[in-house]
Amino acid sequence: MARIMTKKLSDGTEYTPSREGIPARSIAPSAVARWITRAVLLLALVYFLFPVYWVIVASTKTNSQLVSTNGLWFDDFNLLKNHDTLMVWTRGMFWRWVFNSLLYSTVAGVVGTLISVMAGYATAKFKFPGKGITMGVIMSGLLMPAALLTIPLYIIFHHMGITNTMWSIIIPACVSPFGVFLGRVYAQTSVPTELIEAARIDGASEARIFFTMVLRLLAPAMVTIFLFIFVGTWNNFLLPLMMVTADEIKPVTLGLYGMMSYFAPEKGAVMLGALLGVLPLIVLFLALQKYWQSGLAAGSVKG
């Protein structure tokens, strides 16, 4: 065991400095509290991973095997057969639907993040008439269910002639009141006003300040906003259902729903489609996890 070193303060008081990630003994939780915490975290892990495990198992079975075999373990491995069935039932459009979802979510995430950060920075660092009313409208948008706007959006887009197009899915996804709210919080806590004023004294324009300085300071926050918009767009179902009828531009959520509308769908193939359809989200979260965590922490502490 490593020897515990003690240090003395200027007044002669001795104390034991804590190692990184380990609290000092005076504030460390008891052994019982640590075991309870571990047990709760383990239950949470099982709760979140069990549905993924069940989908993996179900994606390897046929309809008869789903009701006649152990639902928590594999039987005959029919993964390739279910993949062929998935391609046949979707008329070879499944991977096109996955690409569509990836396109919608990426474009909406990038554009929506930029809009959210720009609006959040403006409301946090600028004074303008109607600022209070603007923030009230944004906050009220947080309380309004997205499904409530589906029919009004359909009527507007129908008169504009852009229903049954990609724009009818991308444009609504780019507007995120929650993203604007997060952008404002991050701008208030992560962008020093003194830095902006110094840049203005040096003659930098507002556009240059934003794109060369503010965006770099808000980079972790932008990852957080991007992930929120990306996941929301990927999981969106009601809006594409109302807007889109052409198979070529359907997202994967709407395409899999079409499979379930058959009289006797191949549920194993549907489960395989759901598993393959969620893989891009898993990869994205694993790749951006570090930046997402730092982005969440960026707006939690002022200074």
Side-chain angles (χ1 to χ4, degrees), residues 234-300:
W234 189 283
N235 293 332
N236 197 359
F237 170 75
L238 184 59
L239 183 66
L241 179 64
M242 293 287 295
M243 297 289 183
V244 173
T245 57
D247 288 339
E248 292 77 11
I249 60 175
K250 286 182 178 179
V252 66
T253 52
L254 187 57
L256 291 178
Y257 170 76
M259 286 187 64
M260 294 302 296
S261 63
Y262 289 102
F263 179 72
E266 288 290 339
K267 297 183 177 64
V270 176
M271 292 297 103
L272 178 61
L275 178 63
L276 295 176
V278 80
L279 283 180
L281 289 180
I282 297 176
V283 172
L284 183 68
F285 267 90
L286 292 178
L288 300 179
Q289 182 181 15
K290 179 178 67 175
Y291 304 100
W292 187 37
Q293 290 174 346
S294 61
L296 289 174
S300 60

Side-chain angles (χ1 to χ4, degrees), residues 127-165:
K127 295 181 180 180
F128 53 88
K131 179 178 178 178
I133 298 176
T134 302
M135 288 306 305
V137 172
I138 294 174
M139 296 301 294
S140 63
L142 293 173
L143 304 176
M144 186 175 298
L148 190 64
L149 303 176
T150 303
I151 294 179
L153 281 173
Y154 176 81
I155 295 174
I156 294 173
F157 287 172
H158 178 72
H159 286 290
M160 294 175 62
I162 59 174
T163 55
N164 203 28
T165 65

Side-chain angles (χ1 to χ4, degrees), residues 9-49:
L9 299 176
S10 58
D11 59 358
T13 305
E14 293 186 353
Y15 80 103
T16 302
S18 60
R19 290 180 293 172
E20 184 178 358
I22 302 178
R25 183 179 299 178
S26 59
I27 61 173
S30 64
V32 176
R34 291 197 299 268
W35 279 107
I36 293 176
T37 302
R38 291 168 183 168
V40 171
L41 291 176
L42 181 61
L43 290 176
L45 180 66
V46 173
Y47 175 79
F48 287 110
L49 291 184

Side-chain angles (χ1 to χ4, degrees), residues 72-102:
L72 300 180
W73 194 245
F74 302 93
D75 195 63
D76 293 336
F77 203 75
N78 293 303
L79 190 65
L80 295 179
K81 179 181 177 181
N82 285 340
H83 180 269
D84 294 338
T85 303
L86 178 65
M87 295 299 107
V88 171
W89 279 52
T90 60
R91 298 181 297 279
M93 298 293 295
F94 175 76
W95 291 111
R96 175 65 180 271
W97 295 338
V98 173
F99 173 77
N100 290 340
S101 291
L102 190 62

